[in-house]
Each structure stands twice: as structure tokens, then as C-alpha cells.
Amino acid sequence: RRLSLLSSQTEGLNASAEVARLAAGLGSKSTGMGPSGARNTELVLSFFLGCSTSLFLCIGVLLALPETSPKSFSTAYFLTSMPVFRVCFSVLLSLWCMGAVARICDTVNINHMFILNVDPRCRVTPEFFFSRAALLTTIWILVFGMYVVDYKWRVVSPIWSDQGFNQRSSVHFVFYPVFLMLLTLLGMIWPSRICRTRYKASVLRAVARTASAPLHPVDFSDNIVGDILTSLAKPLQDVPAAICYLASPHPQPLKEVVRFTLKGDTCTEMTHHVVLPIIVGLPYLFRGLQCLRRYQDTRDRRHLWNCGKYCASLGVVIVSSVWYDNFQLIVVVSTVATVYAGIWDIFIDWGLGPQELLHWRSRQDCVRRLDSRTGSFPASCPKVDAPAHHGRHFPPRVYLLCCILDLVARSTWVLSLMPITIISKNVVGRVVLVSIISSVEIFRRSMWAILRIEHEQVANASGFRALLWVPSKLHVGERWPPVADTHVVHYEPVSLSAKPMCADASEL
């Protein structure tokens, strides 16, 4: 009884993480908001996203407007600070996606906290991620907009322009990315009663466990962290580029601007040929070692095939770094890695097959043809709750759409493994392409994470749990999507006690 009473407020529960995790499944999770409060939160969030979209469009208009003194305007000089802005943008976009993943999992009753082995006493909700992301998005738009206006229309008089690239050069332009970087870092580490320091430290420990994969058994959360790191390859490449920009002389001299024009950043040759390939390749090496450790512990050959997928991605990194002038070889290796990873995503990580992907329309047609008098389906129709679809949380058309988006996004993902100078020589085109590739991969990984966690919950696909059972909330709503004129019975766990049953309602 005490566990049931405290299950909605496990922050104060004096028990181990395992007991608290079990208790969290015995009662409804109280968020402190009723239906009206949740509705107001969604309205505010939608309004903010609409305003942010409008402001991004305004920045695009500012970039398109003609500048003052076109002869002194240098596109390359203006774009040298883009790596710093991209790093900060990747952070806030990751926060938006983390909140979206948690919100969708809560909506469709995917117990991501239990599957990811998160201590349920952690009260971090999607609203926390959304609020931090909204704050950082506002700061990013404000600072980047000021940078654009200042450089194009020379709002502030240049400082030390005689030491820079031309008369428009100024040392104060570096203050915009520095200020944004400091505010982003402050927003990430700022103390919070919800996301406490120990939870932030647990994220760093999870990354450390991923990096030391062969030394300890691998659980599902290690698996997810390793895959997320592989998707952050291009944003992580922006970190050395941002450091090179901040460490270079300011205002930027001609040498640095020419180097940015040729290479896409102001880093040295050693950074391009040694540091950047290592940064891109290490996440795939970590995941490959995780797969080998899983094979050692389980003797399941499927993990060796999974290791082959990451070796194919490592091949793209090696070929594009060593034989970067052999375009045909790069295309062949990239195609193999993309097809390999795409097939694995759909059939292994998501557990989707022909029944989920090819027969969804026939099921929907059969639902529409339901006989209202007998309450039965035509004999030619497959069962709506066929085993291939039993327990899944999304309608089949969602899986089909996700498969298409995953394959399309995978085609851009492989570009993040090779130097951007191989793809484009245009300065503006490179900056835009890198920004799009980084953002698309973060979105794709978020979509992948939802379906991967869902598959792990309904099928125990990787065998990390001893039981297929996953605790669910007692207030589980109707099945989604609803099936017309059918009845779904929910069986919920009950707490048994040695005491005799109460005689009247007052005792209860």
C-alpha cells in the first residue's frame, strides 16, 4: 500500500533504483497538470514554435537583402564563425528532439524510463526539455540576428580593421559567437530542481561506459547512447572547427579567410587529416566493440552482423580520408554502408516485416467493411489484431512513412562521414549543406529512437530483459489507433495483501 501511495512521487521513496522502478509501474504518474494545464502547455509550445519559425524566415530575408558597401563585403569572412553557431544550434535542436521523443513515448504508452533503465525518481519531463530548448532557441535567434545585421549594415564601427582582411573586418564580430557559446553552456549546466546534477553526471557516465564498451557488459541504454553518438558525427566535427575559429587571430587576416574558402573552416591540415577522421570514426568503433562484447556474452551471431554494419561505416570514413580523390570508390563504399544500415534499421532495430509494411491498407479496408449486425469481419480479411501487429503502438501507415523517411535521411547521413570539400567547392553551398545534414540526422535519430524503444518494449528484441513484461500505468487510455466497434480489454497488475478484505467503504 505504501509503495502504491508513493509510486507517483518516487522522489521521496527510500528504496533502491530497482524497487522504485517497479513501484513506478504500480500507479499513475502524476505530472501535476490536469487536462486543461496540459492543453495550455501545448498551446504555448505551438505558439512559440510558430513565432520561432517566423523569426527564422525573417533572418533568411535579412540574409537576402543587399548589404551596404558591397565592395568590402566578404561572404567568406562572414561565414567563418558558422561552426560556433552550428554547434549551439545542434545543442538546442537535440533538446527539442529529446523532449519530442519523451512526449511521444508518454502519449502512446511506451515506458521509455523502464526500458532505458532510468531511475524513476528522476522527474525530468518533456516540458523541461522544451523549456530549455525554447530559451536557447530565443537566445540563438537574437544573437545570430544581431550578428547578421551588424556585419551587413555596419551598425558598430569596425575595431582594428587595419589588422584584418579588409576595412569591414573588426575584432568585435567574435563576441557574438563567444557570447552565444557561453549562454548555451550556461543553459546546459544551470542548476535545476528537476534535472539535478546527479542526472547530468549520469549522462556523462553513460558516454564513458560507451567508450569503454569491451570492459563491461552492454545494456540497452549503452546501445542507445552509442547509436546517438554515431548520429552526432557531423556536429562533433564542428567542435574542432569552432575551437580553431575562436583561437585564430581577430579580426580574421587574409590567410584565415583563404583557408576557410578552401577547407570550410580555419583548421590546419593535420586537423583535417587526423583529428576530424578520428572524431567521426570513434563512435562507430565504440558501437562495433559493443557488438563484439554482446557476442562474447550471448554467442548470438546477429551481433557480428551488427558489428559489420559499423565496420562498413568506418570504411566510408577511411576511404574518404585516405583516397579522397577516388570518387568511384567513395560512391561504392557509401552505397554499401547506406543500404546495410537502412535494412538493419527497418527489419532488425524496428522489427518491421511485410505484415506491418505491406498489408496495412487491407486491414483498414476491412475495418471499414465491418458487419454492424454480426460484429464480424469478412472472411477474406486478415485479423486486425494479427500477431505481426499485436502490441505495436502505432498504425501501420506510420511505420511505412518512417521507413521511407529513414531511407531518404540515410542517403544524406552518409555525407556526414566524408569531408565536405569532396561534395561542394562553393563556400555558401558547403555551409548550407553541412547545416542541413546535421539537422536531418538529428531528426532521423529521434524518429529511430522512438521505434527502437517501442520494439524493445513489445518484443524484448535484444534480450536485455529476463521477462517480456513491462510495467504500465494504471490509467492507460484507449488503444491507439482505435479500432471501430471492437472491444479491447486491459489487464492491470493488482496488489495482493494478507489482510482480509474490507467490510465497507470506510475501511477502504
Side-chain angles (χ1 to χ4, degrees), residues 309 312-313 315-316 319 327-343 407 410-411 413-415 417-418:
K309 180 185 70 172
S313 300
V316 178
V319 170
F327 184 75
Q328 291 79 8
L329 180 60
I330 294 176
V331 170
V332 171
V333 176
S334 301
T335 303
V336 171
T338 301
V339 174
Y340 199 156
I343 293 176
L407 293 177
R410 280 286 186 185
S411 302
W413 155 85
V414 76
L415 300 178
L417 304 182
M418 57 185 68

Side-chain angles (χ1 to χ4, degrees), residues 362-383:
S362 63
R363 288 198 187 98
Q364 298 299 323
D365 293 339
C366 288
V367 169
R368 287 193 293 269
R369 291 158 54 193
L370 177 68
D371 192 333
S372 59
R373 293 176 298 176
T374 63
S376 61
F377 298 97
S380 60
C381 289
K383 293 182 180 180

Side-chain angles (χ1 to χ4, degrees), residues 161-314:
S161 59
D162 55 330
Q163 302 179 16
F165 173 69
N166 57 19
Q167 61 182 358
R168 192 186 286 261
S169 305
S170 178
V171 71
H172 80 276
F173 289 129
V174 73
F175 296 153
Y176 293 103
V178 169
F179 184 64
L180 178 61
M181 183 184 62
L182 293 177
L183 289 180
T184 302
L185 181 61
L186 186 63
M188 295 294 297
I189 66 175
W190 188 263
S192 171
R193 293 183 179 181
I194 298 177
C195 186
R196 303 194 175 187
T197 304
R198 62 175 180 268
Y199 302 142
K200 297 175 183 178
S202 65
V203 176
L204 298 179
R205 287 196 296 269
V207 175
R209 282 178 56 87
T210 302
S212 58
L215 305 179
H216 54 76
V218 179
D219 59 23
F220 184 69
S221 60
D222 297 332
N223 189 334
I224 294 295
V225 171
D227 281 320
I228 291 175
L229 289 178
T230 61
S231 293
L232 296 178
K234 186 57 73 173
L236 289 176
Q237 279 186 310
D238 281 330
V239 174
I243 295 175
C244 292
Y245 168 77
L246 297 176
S248 62
H250 293 281
Q252 296 277 294
L254 176 61
K255 179 181 67 174
E256 301 295 334
V257 177
V258 171
R259 182 180 297 170
F260 178 84
T261 305
L262 296 176
K263 299 295 183 180
D265 53 50
T266 58
C267 295
T268 61
E269 292 292 333
M270 187 190 73
T271 303
H272 283 279
H273 295 293
V274 179
V275 178
L276 294 183
I278 290 177
I279 291 177
V280 177
L282 279 179
Y284 297 97
L285 178 62
F286 296 154
R287 280 296 289 127
L289 293 176
Q290 284 183 339
C291 295
L292 294 179
R293 178 56 192 253
R294 287 285 291 161
Y295 174 74
Q296 178 184 354
D297 295 339
T298 64
R299 294 299 173 183
D300 187 350
R301 293 186 178 181
R302 178 180 55 178
H303 299 298
L304 294 180
W305 289 102
N306 197 12
C307 181
K309 180 185 70 172
Y310 297 106
C311 290
S313 300
L314 274 174

Side-chain angles (χ1 to χ4, degrees), residues 325-447:
D325 54 346
N326 193 335
F327 184 75
Q328 291 79 8
L329 180 60
I330 294 176
V331 170
V332 171
V333 176
S334 301
T335 303
V336 171
T338 301
V339 174
Y340 199 156
I343 293 176
W344 193 274
D345 284 347
I346 296 173
F347 295 103
I348 306 299
D349 286 344
W350 294 349
L352 302 178
Q355 291 296 325
E356 288 86 358
L357 300 178
L358 301 180
H359 301 306
W360 65 271
R361 185 174 294 277
S362 63
R363 288 198 187 98
Q364 298 299 323
D365 293 339
C366 288
V367 169
R368 287 193 293 269
R369 291 158 54 193
L370 177 68
D371 192 333
S372 59
R373 293 176 298 176
T374 63
S376 61
F377 298 97
S380 60
C381 289
K383 293 182 180 180
V384 177
D385 282 328
H389 189 63
H390 179 70
R392 303 307 291 253
H393 294 74
F394 300 96
R397 67 182 64 186
V398 172
Y399 298 114
L400 184 61
L401 177 62
C402 289
C403 291
I404 297 174
L405 293 177
D406 184 76
L407 293 177
V408 173
R410 280 286 186 185
S411 302
T412 63
W413 155 85
V414 76
L415 300 178
S416 66
L417 304 182
M418 57 185 68
I420 193 62
T421 53
I422 297 179
I423 306 170
S424 175
K425 300 297 184 181
N426 182 268
V427 177
V428 178
R430 286 196 303 242
V431 172
V432 174
L433 186 60
V434 171
S435 303
I436 293 176
I437 291 174
S438 301
S439 302
V440 168
E441 179 57 19
I442 292 175
F443 281 120
R444 188 201 68 83
R445 183 57 69 180
S446 303
M447 178 187 68

